[in-house]
Amino acid sequence: FPCERWLAKSEDDGETVRELVPSDIFTEKLLKDGTLKQIEEEVEDPLEVHTYKISVFTGDIYGAGTDANVFLNIYGDLGDMGERKLSKSETNFNKFERGQEDTFTIEAVDLGILYKIKIRHDNSMISPDWFLEKVEILDETTEESFVFLCERWLSKKKEDRKIERTLYEQVHKARSLVPVKYETIVVTGFEKGAGTDANVFITIYGLNGDSGKRALKQKFRNLFERGKTNRFYLEILDMGELKKVRIEHDNSGLAPGWLVERVEI
């Protein structure tokens, strides 16, 4: 994984995070005479590193600007870039001020079609409250642009008191505004001790985002017993094509261990 770049605040572009893609694969083959021969091959169709120009728009209302540290993660259909701190604005010395546009450049392995971002601040400094209008991202490699509307506070004191927002790209957001009822079937295994007394949760992931962590529960019923099938109906905004599910429990109760045979959605 060649790099040949600085990871330093005072060098290069000031980034301390680099995503690296492989260029060569080295394998060793044991010959008949007992010696090892090293074989070098170039990686076929390696992922490209793309440059993303990120424009963050702070709202033009009283107290909209923030002094807190802001962090961003971008999600595409090929993966996410991991959370990055938006450190140095290319357009303003004091970033995230009222009515201001701040621009940042981030390099990451090709994320594909962008569909959501997670943006947050750490609630630090004297004035952490922030009214975020929107985020625009330009993939400079493909020249595709994506818009993520917010128009909400990220604040411990205002609105719903959240300092993190998940924002969907406008095309995906329009699709995801339609609520969908997902029939979720969980089958517990038939082996001895397969059932659980713990509280069970599921997260469903699709192209348009995820459902968030949802409790699987019903009134007046013993759930997730050995050899039993339990059915739930979850009303969630349309997530498009489903990619994966996460099933988990909180390890509570006298017998929390659980053998899951399968999940159907």
Side-chain angles (χ1 to χ4, degrees), residues 121-189:
H121 66 70
D122 61 2
N123 206 44
S124 63
M125 308 299 285
I126 297 173
S127 301
D129 300 343
W130 187 31
F131 188 87
L132 173 62
E133 182 180 324
K134 64 179 177 178
V135 177
E136 295 181 358
I137 301 176
L138 172 66
D139 183 339
E140 293 191 325
T141 307
T142 63
E143 298 185 346
E144 290 182 280
S145 60
F146 306 86
V147 179
F148 303 85
L149 287 181
C150 182
E151 298 176 340
R152 299 186 70 179
W153 285 97
L154 282 75
S155 168
K156 288 281 191 180
K157 302 174 184 175
K158 300 179 181 181
E159 210 175 317
D160 58 3
R161 300 183 180 180
K162 291 184 178 181
I163 57 173
E164 178 178 311
R165 299 283 177 201
T166 299
L167 309 177
Y168 292 95
E169 200 273 330
Q170 287 304 285
V171 173
H172 292 85
K173 184 177 180 181
R175 292 174 184 164
S176 67
L177 288 176
V178 181
V180 173
K181 188 173 284 186
Y182 289 90
E183 182 184 45
T184 304
I185 298 170
V186 181
V187 181
T188 298

Side-chain angles (χ1 to χ4, degrees), residues 2 48 53-54 73 78 96 116 120 133 139 151 171 249 263:
E48 296 178 342
K53 185 74 72 175
I54 299 158
N73 194 0
L78 298 181
F96 310 126
K116 78 172 180 180
R120 70 173 182 92
E133 182 180 324
D139 183 339
E151 298 176 340
V171 173
H249 67 67
V263 176

Side-chain angles (χ1 to χ4, degrees), residues 17 28 40-41 44 69 79 117 126 132 137 150 158 178 188 195 220 222 252:
V17 177
E28 290 185 336
E40 178 183 353
E41 298 177 69
E44 295 183 8
N69 296 305
I117 62 171
I126 297 173
L132 173 62
I137 301 176
C150 182
K158 300 179 181 181
V178 181
T188 298
F220 315 119
N222 278 336
S252 62

